[in-house]
Each structure stands twice: as C-alpha cells, then as structure tokens.
Amino acid sequence: MGMLARLISWLNAVGNGLFGLLNKPMTVLPAWLSLTLVSAVLGVLMLILFKYTSNQAAIGRVRDAIKANLLAMKLFKDNIPVVLKSQAKILLNAFLLLVFSLQPMLVMIIPFSLLLGQLGLWYQSRPLEVDEQAVVTMQLADSGTNPLPSVSLLPSGAARVVVGPIRVPSKRQIYWQIQARENGEHTLIFQVAGEQVRKELAVGDGLMPVSMTRPGLSIMDLVLHPAEKPFDESSSVQSIRIGYPDRRAKFTGTDIWIVTLFVISMLIAFLVKPFLNVKI
Amino acid sequence: MNKDKKNQIPRRSFIQGAGLTLAGVSAGLCSVPESVFAGSKPSARHPKVIVIGFDGMDPFLTEKMMDTGQLPTFASLRKSNGYRRLGTSNPPQSPVAWANFINGAGPGTHGIFDFIHRDPARQCAPFFSAAETVEGEGSIGFGEHQIQLNFWPFNHSPTQTLLRREGTPFWNYLDAAGIPSAFYDLPSNYPPSKSQHGHHRCLSGMGTPDLLGTYGTYQHYAEDGPVRTKEEPGGMRSMLFFENETAPAKLIGPMDSFLKEPVPITIDFQVHRDLDAKAAVIELQEHTVLLKEGDWSPWLQIDFPLSMPGPDKHLSGICRFYLQEVAPNFRLYVTPINVDPSNPATPITEPEDFSKELASRLGLFYTTGFQEDHKALSNKVFNEAEFAAQAQIVLDERMNLLNDALENYDDGLLFFYFSSTDLQSHMFWWDSDQDHPARPKEQAQQYFEHIKDIYRTADGIVSNMIKDYGDTARILVMSDHGFANFRRQFNLNTWLRDNGYLGPADATSIMTDVDWSQTRAYGLGINGLYLNLQGREKYGIVAPEEKDALMDELVEKLEAVRDGDGSVVIKKVRRSDKTYKGPHTAMAPDLIIGYKRGYRGAWTTCLGDMDKTVFSDNDSAWGADHCGDSTEVPGILFSNKPIAKEDPALIDLAPTILAQFGLDKPETMTGKNIF
C-alpha cells in the first residue's frame, strides 16, 4: 500500500511537470477549446496505444468471423438451425473481442487514470476570484482522544482569514473561511504545533490548474488530487481541502467535462481509425 | 440597459417634447410633455411609466418629514403640485388595497374583502382570501405511495393553488395593446396571472408562499429549545444537544405529497461549535458553512427528495442560516425555506422562466411574499436589532433587484414594490408620547427613528429615479395605505357576546363552542362582521327581512362604543351593501368595522376567538397597523407631473396608467385619470 502510494506520488510528480508544460499553451485558449484539443489528442494516443498493445491479428480474425456469421444469417435466414448457430458464434466472438481488449485496457488504465487526475485539475473546479470566499478544511491525524494541536494559518497577501480557525474535535478537523486577495498561484502556510505545512491556492479568472486537496497517502486521493505532494503518514495533518467553486460551463463544467472528454476522444478515435489501420 | 439606448427618443417626439419641456420648466413645473407619452403606435417604442409602490408609506409622517426638510425629493415633487394623499380601500388591508390598484375598481370587482374570508356553506370555516389551494382528484396507489397521472386515460387533477382575485387586471389591457409591462413583487397576484400576449412579466409578491406552503415558517434551533420540535405561529423551534461540541439537527421541509400519508421531508445536518472562536460550522448536504456569532450565511440551495416509486423527483428550496449565539445558549435561526427562483418548485413568476432569468443575473433572493420575518420578532426569536438587520438584508436585495429591473427596462410600464415601509412599520412605528405597550419609551422612539431612516431611503430611491428617468418617464410613487399606532385591541366577538348578539354567554370561540341558534352576528377577519343569515350561513337564524334593522342597530351601537378612558374606538361602521358595487360581493362581510387610529380588531377576534374583556392592550411587538377606518390611514401619491384630481384614490391609478399609454378606461374600472 505505502509502496504503491509512493509510486503514484512519484508518477504524479512526473505527470505534473509534463502536463503543466504541455498544457501551458492551452491556458490562453477558452476552456472548451483546450478540452476539445486535449480530447482529440487523447483519442489518437489511445488508438495508437490500443494498436500496439492489442493482438491486432486475432482481433482481425474475430471481426472477420463476426462478419461471416452476419452474412450467414442474412443468406440462410429461413434456416433456423443455421441462424441460431450463427447468433451463438457472434455472441462468442463478441465476448472474444472483449477479452482481446482487456490487455490494452490493463495497460492503459493506470496512465489514463493519472491523466484524468491531471485533467481534473484544469476542468473540475475554477480558481477563486479576487474577493471571493472559500472554506479551507484541515483534516488532522486520528490520535485517539488527544486534544487538537494548536493550528494557525499564517497571514499572507494571497488571502485573508474571514472566519476561523474553527476547531471540530469530533471530526478532528479545523476550518477557515478565507477571502482571496490577489490573482496568482499562491501557497497558504499553516503552523501546526511545531510543524509548517503548505497548501496551494489558485486565484484568477482564467484557466489554471486548481488543486482542491493536498491529500494524504490514500491511493484514491492521490489519483484524484495529483498536484501536491501528499502528507506523510506520520504527519499530524492528513489532508487540506479548499472548497473551490464548481466550474460552470456547458461543455467543460464540473459535471460534464469528463463526458465531453470521452465523447470527443471516442469520436476522434473512430474517425482516425481507418487512417492508422487499427482494428477495434 | 445602456445609457444611450435609454435616452433614445423618436425624433419627432423629441422636438415636440423639447419645446413643451421648455414651457413646462418656465412654468416652474417638474413635468414631462404629454406628447412624449402619447400613444406611440406605429413606432415600436412605447412611453415609459415607472410606478414605485412603498407599501404602507404614511402621509402624516411623510408630510412632517417634508416640512422639516428631511425628504427633499418628495418635497420638491409636492412643490410642483405632484403630491396628494391617496384614498385607500375599504377596509385598508393590503390584499384589498392592492387588488383595488390592480383592477382600478373596488372590492366588488375583485372579491377580496379581508385577509381572511369564511365559507358560509360551512358556517364560518376560514380561508385565505387571495389564493386557494384546491386538492387534487384521483391517484394510483403503489404500496405506500400515490401517484397522479394527468394524462389520458387517467386524467387525474393535481393539487393546485388558484388566484382568487376576480376581474381583469389593468396590465391585461397593456398586454393586448402590445405594451410591455414588468412587475416586481406585486402583491395580491399569486399564483401570477397569465399573460395572453407575452408582453407582461411579473414576480409575485405578498401572498407568495414558502416551500412549506405557508406565508413563511422560520426554524429555530437552540440548546434551550423544546426536545420535540414545536410549532408556533410563523415558526418552529427545536432543541440542539451538543456532544463533543457537535449536534445533529433536522431541517424540516415540504410535505412528501407522493405518500398516501404525507409527512414532511427532513434533511439531516450537523452543527459543530467552537466555544473559543465563538463560531460554528454547519454541514448540510454539500454545503459547509462557517459562521461567527452574528453572521448570516449566503443563500443555500437545499435539495428535498420526494419519495417516488419511479424516477427520482426533487424540490429545490433556499434558506439562510443566522448564528445568533454560541454560548451560553447556542441559538441558530434558519429563514423560511423559500422557493428557489433558479429552479422553482411552483411558478412564482410570469412567464415561469422569469425567476430563472433573474436568478441567473442576481443570484438567489427572497421569494416569499412576507420577507421581513416579523413573526421571529413577535415570537421573540429575534430582538429588535436582529429584526432590523434581517429587514435590511431584504431591502438590500430589493435594491439590487430594482437596479437590475432598471437595467433591463426599455419602455412600457415598470412597477416595483417595497415592503420595508410596511413590515418594518408594523414592528417599529410609534408616533405617540404614550408608553408603548411592548417596549420602553426610549426604545420605541429609537425604532421610530429607524422608520424615518427608511423614509429617507425611499426619498433617495425616488431622487435617483428622477435623475435618471425624470425627463423621459412618467414616475408615480404610491402607497396602498398609511400607518397608525396599534395600542389597544377591540375584541368584536367578545363585544357581540357581551351585548347578546352571540351566545352562549360563556362562549370562547365561534370555531368551537358557539351556539349558532343563539348567535345573530359574528366577527371574522380584521374588520369583518357577518350576520348569521338564514339561507346563507349553514346555521343561519337571522331572517332576511330582519337584516336591515339588525345592521342599523349594530352600526349605531358599535359607533357608540367607548374605551375605558372615554376614547372613541370605532370611527365608522360601513354597510357593505352600500359600500361595494360589482359582480363579486358574495364573500363580503355585512359590516366593515372602521377603527380609529390607535385601535384595531384584537388578534384573537380575527379567527373568531373571544377574550375575557372587550378591550386589552396590544402587547405584541406588532405595535402598529393600518386596519382601521379607510379615512384614518390614507396612502401617499407623488408624481413628476402635477396631479389635477383633488382626492385621488387607489382605484384611479390603473386608468391613469392606461391613459399614459393612450388607452381608454375600460368599463370595469371606476377610477379616473388623475392628470
């Protein structure tokens, strides 16, 4: 568990660097256009990856068999035993197609999940606007009945504290309401007992990566929140979350961006398939 | 609307207007040439008429403040002969008065005579006069659920709320003529009446319910609250029990109408408090709200899932939290759950999407008809300062709405309503040297000063309006009635009982222990007196031929009533058969009790109850009212054009507005053009 988490964390660090670099030019584009371009490139990459990680010859044979059985059903539609036999073969071959897709799926699942995490930074939430408020939640490690440590959010030009810290011992959480002051990619610094911990804060009105949570060493959190270095298991802080607002847009908003990504990438993959000679 | 567009005037009208404006200015009048307002057909552009309604703005206070230079804009309009006291309705209750305004005629045309009517077929069963909820018919049962299918072959009819105001509202004539009209917070128009031609838009005001179907039910949570949720007029109270500084709570929502035995939908939420920080965290659905003592949350959208055997169905409501106190007694107030304007569970605007359009530009806002939570003050959930702060939130929201209305106003009629001058006056008005029954004299004076501040704000609103639109629009500023102290209560039913008109002698309520065979008259509503008439009331005993004599006798005796100190209590008792004309008088009371300033019908008598004594002090925080005699509480009328009519009344405004657009007065209207 710890090993895998560290591996994901390391892959995230590489992904952050790469994706940050690749996506930088996209920041000048509107979100819908950048997502369309990213989806198109992703569609082509998935197709190429599928081509080289799957057994294309076997897939070709299965597809031919399906075609042959469809033809048989058409030619011998009055012959019930032939039709039934062909239907059974089609079902079997369809299942085989699924089996042949497993290998590329297994190869793609890890990079694709990490990629989704990276894209989520850009399209899931929007940064705070200047003067806008958000709730910051710090999750402290569960240390039995020990009282909550002394915690403070150090003053900065990035944001001011409107309310807090509010300490909730039953959940071992501490809350602040902050108000953004200045555009930019900032760092909030917290003093937790003798330890200083940091959390990124995004303020601006354009497209920029928004890291909602600096996670602990949980696999799922690491995949969903790849931008920041996770907290160590030994840290008294287990996560810090900022309640960024949802991104409201027709195609790239909080609830829809992932659908847009899948639809466009699939569409592009189907369009490009004949040119790359890929059998799916 | 941009400034250039706003100032566009057809060239011909502009030239004519310029000449006449010069003439007007030289005559010392703050007037706009009539030609600018004359019928603009065939041009697509229409005249501009802006009507600002300050509910309950009182002429006596307004005049005093104008005389002392505190209302310079109003004083300037008065100087230009653009001010009159405005005759109100009989009785001067808001639903009646606004319906008079809407129809351009009296209650006989719109059928609203009081906040409360009664159904004589069920003897005296009370109901709200302005809207009626009609239970649905037919349903299909699925286990514990019932479902209505309003299509063939089932054709079930769903429960619906119907507007009971009769007659033709004046905007229908504008609509038919293709003249746009927009109304914001219009009273006596819920559910909003439909536009036949698509030129009318309206946000319903007074009378619009909250999501619970009431006129506003707050929820209050406190450590010293009742263990079981307790209902009180206008609110509910519950106890919070903190364990490790966290307390669970339930927000009570609308009834789950898909159940055969409907129960309220409740939403669990958590309250965490930090005694040192004097603050709390509220976690409700996806919302995490941090509040310091004295903070208000923003509007929160709450999702209420209905229990359905099929696909999910949800109702959306909005509310705000107010953290009153963290320690020693944690107290948390939640506003009534308002209909979400961005996703209304019931239409609150015409067209239905109008509320969504407003919410998309302005965010969420109060949608219930009564926005200032007077019940919270009456029930001592709020203190005076808290009520004033909540009322200021309402006023700020409405100012925002007004700005948006003006930005989106091109031409035609714009009507905008303010409730601040009414509901805050009910709670804070006290223009007397006598002791206030509910608060110390100094405090009463302090809060009356607050009312004066609101009047100054009103002056500022009109000042801006005249600066921006004085040259291009006819501007009318009106109120539906004035205000008066409500120091003493008169229990009409007790008086009827003590004078032998209602029996038995120890009866306590017409709803429970009255003997109708001993009862010739009863009171219901704030100003209404009904005879127990044979052939009309279910258990009627007064023969039709006795009616006239009995009414005359009651008028004489009631007008002779004196308080303990000899004060006149009732200025005038009017017979409705001599007061109301029109096709919709069936629900009218037989007599309308017109109280003197300082008096009003007792709280208990409004719903038919009796007290031990006929008179009592009004010790409610609701210390002022207007439900007296119509001559005691006239409204105000200002215009940026001299007013010709000496005694204008509410019913005159509709024909006046129509005339500004070149439309003739319809036959149904009895009012007259004031210019």
Side-chain angles (χ1 to χ4, degrees):
Chain A
M1 178 76 166
M3 197 63 190
L4 181 60
R6 273 176 178 61
L7 178 66
I8 295 174
S9 167
W10 182 81
L11 286 172
N12 277 341
V14 175
N16 289 336
L18 267 175
F19 208 83
L21 206 64
L22 291 172
N23 221 25
K24 212 72 179 173
M26 301 288 194
T27 54
V28 294
L29 301 176
W32 67 269
L33 186 55
S34 71
L35 182 61
T36 304
L37 293 173
V38 167
S39 306
V41 171
L42 192 65
V44 175
L45 283 177
M46 280 197 306
L47 196 67
I48 294 170
L49 208 58
F50 187 88
K51 181 176 179 176
Y52 292 107
T53 55
S54 63
N55 187 341
Q56 287 285 296
I59 290 174
R61 280 196 300 277
V62 172
R63 286 171 58 88
D64 288 346
I66 290 174
K67 278 183 202 163
N69 282 294
L70 283 171
L71 191 62
M73 281 171 62
K74 204 172 177 184
L75 289 173
F76 304 102
K77 60 184 174 193
D78 299 328
N79 189 332
I80 292 173
V82 171
V83 169
L84 288 175
K85 202 172 166 186
S86 296
Q87 279 181 341
K89 282 183 178 172
I90 289 170
L91 280 175
L92 179 69
N93 283 308
F95 176 72
L96 279 176
L97 269 185
L98 273 178
V99 171
F100 288 130
S101 304
L102 280 179
Q103 187 178 317
M105 274 170 62
L106 284 173
V107 173
M108 281 193 281
I109 195 161
I110 291 174
F112 198 75
S113 300
L114 296 176
L115 194 66
L116 281 182
Q118 289 290 343
L119 289 172
L121 296 175
W122 294 79
Y123 302 110
Q124 181 66 27
S125 296
R126 66 165 176 79
L128 295 180
E129 291 171 0
V130 171
D131 289 338
E132 194 170 15
Q133 297 190 5
V135 173
V136 178
T137 310
M138 176 184 284
Q139 179 66 56
L140 295 164
D142 188 1
S143 55
T145 54
N146 286 350
L148 299 180
S150 154
V151 177
S152 62
L153 172 54
L154 301 183
S156 78
R160 75 178 186 93
V161 175
V162 180
V163 187
I166 302 179
R167 301 149 68 86
V168 178
S170 62
K171 300 178 79 175
R172 296 199 67 78
Q173 287 179 336
I174 297 179
Y175 293 84
W176 291 263
Q177 183 143 323
I178 58 165
Q179 183 177 35
R181 273 177 163 169
E182 198 177 297
N183 281 342
E185 293 177 8
H186 307 284
T187 303
L188 297 177
I189 303 173
F190 300 84
Q191 187 75 41
V192 184
E195 183 187 6
Q196 271 200 351
V197 295
R198 291 159 190 271
K199 169 78 190 80
E200 287 177 7
L201 171 71
V203 183
D205 48 13
L207 190 62
M208 59 197 291
V210 174
S211 169
M212 288 185 285
T213 303
R214 181 176 171 192
L217 280 175
S218 139
I219 305 287
M220 187 54 78
D221 281 352
L222 284 170
V223 171
L224 292 175
H225 307 290
E228 296 178 75
K229 189 182 171 210
F231 288 105
D232 248 11
E233 275 168 331
S234 59
S235 168
S236 54
V237 179
Q238 283 307 292
S239 70
I240 302 176
R241 185 179 191 282
I242 298 177
Y244 286 101
D246 285 349
R247 186 178 281 281
R248 302 269 181 210
K250 269 187 178 169
F251 302 111
T252 58
T254 301
D255 303 324
I256 196 75
W257 73 268
I258 204 157
V259 178
T260 306
L261 177 84
F262 274 106
V263 169
I264 295 177
S265 56
M266 290 294 169
L267 203 67
I268 295 294
F270 272 101
L271 288 173
V272 174
K273 185 175 69 126
F275 303 103
L276 295 179
N277 195 22
V278 183
K279 296 184 180 71
I280 297 175
Chain B
M1 187 181 61
N2 66 47
K3 209 167 181 177
D4 293 335
K5 195 176 173 190
K6 187 176 80 183
N7 291 331
Q8 280 173 4
I9 302 178
R11 186 184 170 81
R12 186 167 57 91
S13 299
F14 176 74
I15 294 166
Q16 290 172 344
L20 287 170
T21 303
L22 278 174
V25 168
S26 65
L29 299 174
C30 179
S31 68
V32 181
E34 197 62 40
S35 59
V36 173
F37 298 94
S40 57
K41 291 174 187 175
S43 160
R45 204 169 161 75
H46 302 284
K48 291 180 182 177
V49 178
I50 300 174
V51 180
I52 304 295
F54 289 112
D55 197 316
M57 192 163 181
D58 180 72
F60 303 109
L61 179 60
T62 305
E63 287 163 17
K64 262 188 210 166
M65 291 180 72
M66 285 194 290
D67 292 344
T68 50
Q70 297 179 70
L71 303 176
T73 308
F74 287 138
S76 144
L77 291 170
R78 178 174 68 171
K79 200 174 170 188
S80 307
N81 200 23
Y83 169 69
R84 293 283 186 281
R85 291 182 184 178
L86 187 66
T88 182
S89 59
N90 252 316
Q93 298 184 29
S94 290
V96 190
W98 286 108
N100 274 15
F101 165 73
I102 288 168
N103 276 18
T109 67
H110 54 70
I112 298 174
F113 303 92
D114 199 295
F115 274 102
I116 295 164
H117 284 175
R118 95 299 182 216
D119 179 5
R122 293 188 288 151
Q123 185 59 28
C124 63
F127 59 90
F128 286 117
S129 58
E132 180 186 12
T133 300
V134 179
E135 290 298 323
E137 278 183 18
S139 63
I140 291 180
F142 289 97
E144 59 185 7
H145 298 92
Q146 58 175 358
I147 294 178
Q148 291 199 309
L149 304 169
N150 56 349
F151 51 81
W152 184 87
F154 307 102
N155 298 330
H156 299 148
S157 55
T159 298
Q160 50 185 323
T161 304
L162 303 174
L163 178 64
R164 291 186 62 93
R165 197 196 65 242
E166 302 285 354
T168 309
F170 73 86
W171 57 80
N172 276 14
Y173 301 102
L174 299 174
D175 195 22
I179 297 161
S181 62
F183 291 75
Y184 293 81
D185 275 347
L186 179 68
S188 298
N189 192 46
Y190 175 82
S193 65
K194 295 285 175 197
S195 169
Q196 299 297 315
H197 303 276
H199 304 295
H200 166 70
R201 301 198 297 172
C202 179
L203 169 65
S204 288
M206 186 195 300
T208 307
D210 62 9
L211 203 65
L212 275 61
T214 69
Y215 284 152
T217 301
Y218 61 78
Q219 299 186 43
H220 191 251
Y221 304 86
E223 285 183 283
D224 68 350
V227 177
R228 285 193 170 185
T229 299
K230 186 181 160 195
E231 291 188 24
E232 59 191 7
M236 289 185 261
R237 291 182 196 243
S238 306
M239 190 179 82
L240 284 180
F241 177 71
F242 283 92
E243 195 172 354
N244 200 12
E245 305 309 341
T246 291
K250 284 183 191 299
L251 187 71
I252 298 172
M255 299 298 272
D256 189 342
S257 56
F258 286 102
L259 291 174
K260 282 178 182 166
E261 290 177 16
V263 292
I265 305 166
T266 55
I267 306 293
D268 291 334
F269 67 99
Q270 298 270 323
V271 182
H272 312 283
R273 69 175 174 189
D274 184 332
L275 295 171
D276 296 333
K278 287 199 167 182
V281 179
I282 294 155
E283 291 183 300
L284 192 158
Q285 294 182 337
E286 79 272 25
H287 306 289
T288 303
V289 181
L290 274 58
L291 297 174
K292 287 182 294 191
E293 216 169 61
D295 276 357
W296 284 82
S297 77
W299 284 108
L300 306 178
Q301 281 176 305
I302 314 293
D303 177 69
F304 294 96
L306 287 161
S307 158
M308 278 271 285
D312 284 352
K313 194 166 169 60
H314 298 254
L315 298 176
S316 183
I318 58 168
C319 64
R320 294 182 72 168
F321 285 78
Y322 166 49
L323 180 57
Q324 294 178 281
E325 184 180 352
V326 173
N329 176 26
F330 189 95
R331 291 184 297 130
L332 180 69
Y333 163 91
V334 186
T335 63
I337 301 166
N338 284 232
V339 172
D340 179 355
S342 68
N343 183 16
T346 179
I348 52 170
T349 55
E350 169 61 21
E352 279 188 43
D353 280 352
F354 185 37
S355 68
K356 294 182 187 173
E357 186 188 320
L358 292 173
S360 71
R361 290 198 298 265
L362 299 169
L364 303 172
F365 52 86
Y366 273 104
T367 57
T368 50
F370 292 110
Q371 294 151 10
E372 291 88 348
D373 201 340
H374 58 89
K375 291 284 187 188
L377 178 55
S378 293
N379 295 336
K380 297 187 168 55
V381 164
F382 280 167
N383 60 29
E384 279 82 356
E386 288 174 321
F387 172 74
Q390 187 266 338
Q392 187 60 44
I393 290 172
V394 173
L395 181 56
D396 291 344
E397 264 189 10
R398 264 38 207 176
M399 294 293 284
N400 206 18
L401 188 61
L402 174 63
N403 290 336
D404 182 76
L406 290 170
E407 278 170 20
N408 290 281
Y409 172 61
D410 292 323
D411 58 1
L413 173 66
L414 172 68
F415 171 89
F416 201 94
Y417 167 92
F418 284 96
S419 60
S420 304
T421 34
D422 180 76
L423 282 169
Q424 295 203 59
S425 291
H426 276 297
M427 312 316 281
F428 290 152
W429 179 285
W430 194 250
D431 64 343
S432 167
D433 292 331
Q434 287 180 297
D435 286 340
H436 189 289
R439 60 179 70 107
K441 204 174 199 172
E442 298 72 31
Q443 211 181 58
Q445 282 169 352
Q446 176 198 334
Y447 285 112
F448 189 48
E449 284 302 314
H450 177 74
I451 297 299
K452 292 178 186 170
D453 286 341
I454 296 171
Y455 276 42
R456 283 186 274 268
T457 302
D459 188 83
I461 291 168
V462 175
S463 168
N464 289 337
M465 192 81 63
I466 286 177
K467 262 182 219 152
D468 293 344
Y469 293 92
D471 295 336
T472 56
R474 175 73 61 243
I475 297 171
L476 295 170
V477 180
M478 46 84 68
S479 70
D480 54 336
H481 51 69
F483 251 90
N485 299 335
F486 171 21
R487 194 175 63 81
R488 295 278 283 167
Q489 306 185 69
F490 175 74
N491 192 307
L492 177 61
N493 281 314
T494 308
W495 182 89
L496 289 168
R497 183 193 64 190
D498 293 354
N499 285 272
Y501 295 100
L502 188 153
D506 59 350
T508 59
S509 171
I510 63 168
M511 301 296 164
T512 54
D513 55 3
V514 76
D515 178 353
W516 292 109
S517 67
Q518 297 180 46
T519 299
R520 289 186 290 158
Y522 61 97
L524 194 71
I526 304 176
N527 298 85
L529 184 151
Y530 299 85
L531 302 186
N532 188 22
L533 200 61
Q534 271 177 15
R536 187 182 68 184
E537 264 74 6
K538 188 177 179 184
Y539 306 114
I541 61 164
V542 176
E545 60 272 18
E546 298 168 358
K547 182 181 167 186
D548 273 344
L550 179 57
M551 283 205 287
D552 288 344
E553 181 184 318
L554 282 166
V555 169
E556 191 184 335
K557 283 191 177 178
L558 280 165
E559 287 184 353
V561 167
R562 296 290 179 271
D563 198 354
D565 62 357
S567 299
V568 176
V569 177
I570 294 167
K571 184 172 185 182
K572 182 96 181 150
V573 179
R574 294 167 206 272
R575 287 179 55 152
S576 67
D577 55 354
K578 292 178 179 169
T579 307
Y580 299 139
K581 289 185 178 60
H584 300 289
T585 54
M587 287 293 150
D590 296 298
L591 296 176
I592 308 139
I593 315 296
Y595 296 98
K596 286 279 288 179
R597 289 176 78 87
Y599 289 88
R600 204 205 73 177
W603 292 105
T604 43
T605 207
C606 296
L607 282 173
D609 291 346
M610 285 152 252
D611 297 321
K612 283 183 181 162
T613 56
V614 172
F615 290 100
S616 56
D617 281 341
N618 169 39
D619 56 3
S620 162
W622 182 282
D625 212 296
H626 46 79
C627 299
D629 187 68
S630 55
T631 57
E632 292 285 88
V633 281
I636 53 108
L637 175 67
F638 289 95
S639 167
N640 63 343
K641 181 184 180 182
I643 301 168
K645 199 161 188 265
E646 283 304 318
D647 57 347
L650 277 169
I651 57 171
D652 296 324
L653 297 182
T656 300
I657 292 166
L658 294 184
Q660 298 306 296
F661 294 100
L663 300 181
D664 292 335
K665 187 181 89 169
E667 280 181 8
T668 53
M669 290 186 183
T670 52
K672 290 176 183 159
N673 187 348
I674 61 166
F675 296 124

